[in-house]
Amino acid sequence: MAKLKYIFICFMVLGIFACKDKIEGTSEKAKDPNAVYEKEKTANPVFIDQSVKKLTDVIVHDIFSPPVASRNYVYPLVAAYETLRHDYPDYKTLSGQLRELSDLPLPAADQEYNFSLAAVHAFLKTAQNFIFSENKMEDFRTEIYQEFKDLNIPDEIYNRSIAYGNQVSDHILNWSDGDLYKQTRTYPRYSVDDQPGRWSPTPPDYMDGIEPHWNKIRPMVLESATQFKPLPPTPFNMKKGSKFYKELMEVYTVVKNAEEDHVEIAKFWDCNPYVSHHVGHVMYATKKITPGGHWMGIARTAARKADLDIMKTTETYTLVAIALFDGFISCWDEKYRSSLIRPETVINASFDESWLPLLQTPPFPEHTSGHSVISTAAAVVLTDLLGDSFSFIDSTEVEFGLPPREFTSFLQASEEAAISRLYGGIHYRPAIEYGVAQGKDVGEYVIEQVETE
């Protein structure tokens, strides 16, 4: 009887473990032992596109400011590039080219990897460290890894590739820790003073100035935040007939007599990640894509139209991300140096308290225009990669309720993005014109300093 009882218990234990294995494995399809490893199908740029788009969606959900969002893109993309390039020997490492990026771990020479999988994993693992909604990224990781598994990657290659992606991601994350981002989280807020012409918080939320210490963040390629210091803004002078007064009145008049196409352009390029609405005692917010996210969308559109392979697609995203990141550092350095007052504040205080800009004024100083700087920098890089007459339809804003717009070149798109800030009533003309020049300098410097092939 004791022997029968022992046998019964053994069967029960084995049954429990068998059921446990079955339950835990229900999320994966059983692997066909006769399935063929379709390696060429894993080198699909869609895997990178989907990953970048998912990061954009999470950035929108988590409401990152434009400068911080640029940081959220660049490190994961460098990780992806550095991983994937091992399948493409003509591509050069970015170590030694990007500031303080040391030599990365190398894959074992005598082992087989799937570098497309490894690159996606390096991207997603790195990105997950820069967001709040990790669960959203984790769910996506599960889905996209299943897509790779469905292409019958052998288990040993799959596991080895994931492990290598981990190595690269860890190296990039360690590098990112040295850019002073975490330290600047503890720095004091921007101190508003009452000098005439100095920036002060704007309605409707009167938020503190965003990222006043962003010029202390380590750039990717710029020698310093001040390398491309733009011309200063026009001196504040409210005397009628002064240069500043004329610039102010241009903003006032453009919005007051807004033309239909100007309104459409302003709204298309708004890219304000957090627009608040106040109705009586109720306040709610509209989440939108950041300006950097918009240019990531343009990069995706261009890559697909040009039918770029997975490596060229990753290179394109990465170089655009570098230009965006350094563009924000350069721009923000000037914003908090000149600390120029916004048109809305001057107009409301001086002669029309009911005037409103077409777009909600963002919470940081006016000069220079961030859209002008980063759009031009991104357009210069894309032009270098794909040509100066690359026409495309930009449908990035369709999911936010806006119709697509058609452009004959990247620079035409960046010029429209820049002037949209005047149409929206949030920038004076010099911030736009000097910002375009500043962005051109940044973009050309990225091209000059970063050699990928």
Side-chain angles (χ1 to χ4, degrees):
M1 179 64 71
K3 186 175 181 181
L4 287 173
K5 185 176 181 180
Y6 173 77
I7 293 173
F8 176 75
I9 291 172
C10 287
F11 274 114
M12 286 289 291
V13 170
L14 289 172
I16 289 170
F17 279 102
C19 289
K20 183 176 185 291
D21 288 341
K22 184 177 181 181
I23 292 169
E24 290 182 346
T26 53
S27 61
E28 297 184 12
K29 292 187 286 188
K31 183 173 287 189
D32 181 354
N34 299 314
V36 177
Y37 173 27
E38 301 175 273
K39 183 176 182 180
E40 68 284 353
K41 290 186 178 180
T42 66
N44 189 334
V46 169
F47 288 124
I48 293 294
D49 285 340
Q50 290 176 342
S51 299
V52 175
K53 180 60 170 67
K54 185 61 182 181
L55 178 55
T56 295
D57 292 344
V58 175
I59 287 172
V60 171
H61 179 273
D62 288 350
I63 317 178
F64 287 100
S65 70
V68 175
S70 73
R71 182 176 184 266
N72 295 354
Y73 284 116
V74 74
Y75 286 109
L77 281 164
V78 171
Y81 174 93
E82 285 294 331
T83 308
L84 186 60
R85 71 176 182 85
H86 294 291
D87 250 348
Y88 300 82
D90 290 339
Y91 282 80
K92 295 177 171 60
T93 179
L94 299 178
S95 65
Q97 300 191 69
L98 303 186
R99 287 166 59 86
E100 299 179 5
L101 178 59
S102 60
D103 291 344
L104 284 93
L106 296 175
D110 60 344
Q111 298 289 337
E112 184 177 355
Y113 297 81
N114 186 290
F115 289 112
S116 298
L117 169 63
V120 168
H121 179 65
F123 176 92
L124 295 175
K125 181 176 181 291
T126 305
Q128 200 159 350
N129 283 268
F130 289 84
I131 58 174
F132 303 134
S133 301
E134 295 183 28
N135 60 313
K136 291 183 178 295
M137 191 64 77
E138 190 61 46
D139 291 343
F140 175 77
R141 284 173 61 173
T142 300
E143 294 171 7
I144 201 166
Y145 293 166
Q146 187 59 53
E147 292 183 41
F148 277 103
K149 289 177 180 178
D150 289 345
L151 296 174
N152 305 307
I153 302 176
D155 289 343
E156 65 274 14
I157 296 176
Y158 181 95
N159 294 332
R160 189 181 301 124
S161 303
I162 292 291
Y164 182 62
N166 282 331
Q167 285 183 281
V168 174
S169 176
D170 289 344
H171 189 94
I172 296 299
L173 288 171
N174 184 62
W175 172 51
S176 74
D177 282 341
D179 71 0
L180 287 184
Y181 175 78
K182 293 179 180 177
Q183 290 86 337
T184 58
R185 302 307 91 190
T186 66
Y187 291 178
R189 296 177 179 179
Y190 178 71
S191 179
V192 178
D193 61 49
D194 57 1
Q195 295 181 43
R198 299 284 287 181
W199 179 82
S200 61
T202 51
D205 299 314
Y206 298 94
M207 295 173 62
D208 290 332
I210 287 177
E211 300 298 340
H213 307 288
W214 200 253
N215 64 344
K216 297 177 178 64
I217 301 295
R218 178 190 60 205
M220 290 285 136
V221 297
L222 295 185
E223 295 174 8
S224 71
T226 61
Q227 183 173 352
F228 296 116
K229 182 179 177 181
L231 291 171
T234 302
F236 181 78
N237 184 348
M238 285 301 291
K239 183 179 180 180
K240 289 186 178 181
S242 71
K243 190 172 186 296
F244 179 84
Y245 189 84
K246 290 177 181 178
E247 292 166 2
L248 176 69
M249 291 308 297
E250 180 183 25
V251 179
Y252 179 77
T253 304
V254 164
V255 173
K256 198 82 170 174
N257 305 319
E259 299 176 19
E260 184 177 348
D261 63 326
H262 290 180
V263 173
E264 291 176 357
I265 289 170
K267 290 183 176 179
F268 184 79
W269 293 102
D270 184 16
C271 301
N272 187 339
Y274 181 86
V275 178
S276 62
H277 308 271
H278 297 256
V279 182
H281 297 291
V282 178
M283 191 277 280
Y284 65 96
T286 300
K287 298 179 181 181
K288 296 183 181 180
I289 200 169
T290 65
H294 191 136
W295 279 95
M296 279 293 156
I298 290 175
R300 177 185 184 180
T301 297
R304 295 290 64 76
K305 181 181 177 182
D307 195 26
L308 303 184
D309 64 22
I310 189 171
M311 187 67 234
K312 195 69 178 178
T313 296
T314 303
E315 175 197 24
T316 299
Y317 279 129
T318 304
L319 291 175
V320 169
I322 290 169
L324 293 171
F325 184 75
D326 279 11
F328 274 113
I329 291 173
S330 182
C331 179
W332 250 243
D333 176 63
E334 176 57 37
K335 278 188 179 295
Y336 285 97
R337 175 175 37 251
S338 56
S339 190
L340 183 61
I341 195 167
R342 289 279 184 169
E344 181 174 16
T345 306
V346 186
I347 293 170
N348 289 167
S350 301
F351 55 87
D352 189 345
E353 63 181 15
S354 65
W355 183 89
L356 290 173
L358 180 61
L359 304 179
Q360 192 167 110
T361 301
F364 36 80
E366 191 270 348
H367 192 81
T368 49
S369 156
H371 271 58
S372 302
V373 177
I374 66 99
S375 295
T376 306
V380 166
V381 167
L382 285 167
T383 299
D384 182 69
L385 290 167
L386 298 170
D388 58 7
S389 58
F390 192 99
S391 62
F392 63 97
I393 296 173
D394 182 4
S395 57
T396 308
E397 299 288 339
V398 169
E399 64 181 291
F400 300 99
L402 297 170
R405 294 185 67 81
E406 190 168 355
F407 300 100
T408 58
S409 69
F410 300 115
L411 288 172
Q412 186 202 20
S414 67
E415 289 165 2
E416 186 178 278
I419 198 64
S420 74
R421 313 314 271 169
L422 174 63
Y423 299 159
I426 60 177
H427 277 291
Y428 314 107
R429 189 174 290 274
I432 294 164
E433 294 178 349
Y434 302 166
V436 167
Q438 187 178 7
K440 182 173 182 289
D441 286 339
V442 171
E444 289 178 347
Y445 193 72
V446 170
I447 293 168
E448 175 188 324
Q449 294 297 311
V450 182
E451 186 179 1
T452 52
E453 296 181 75

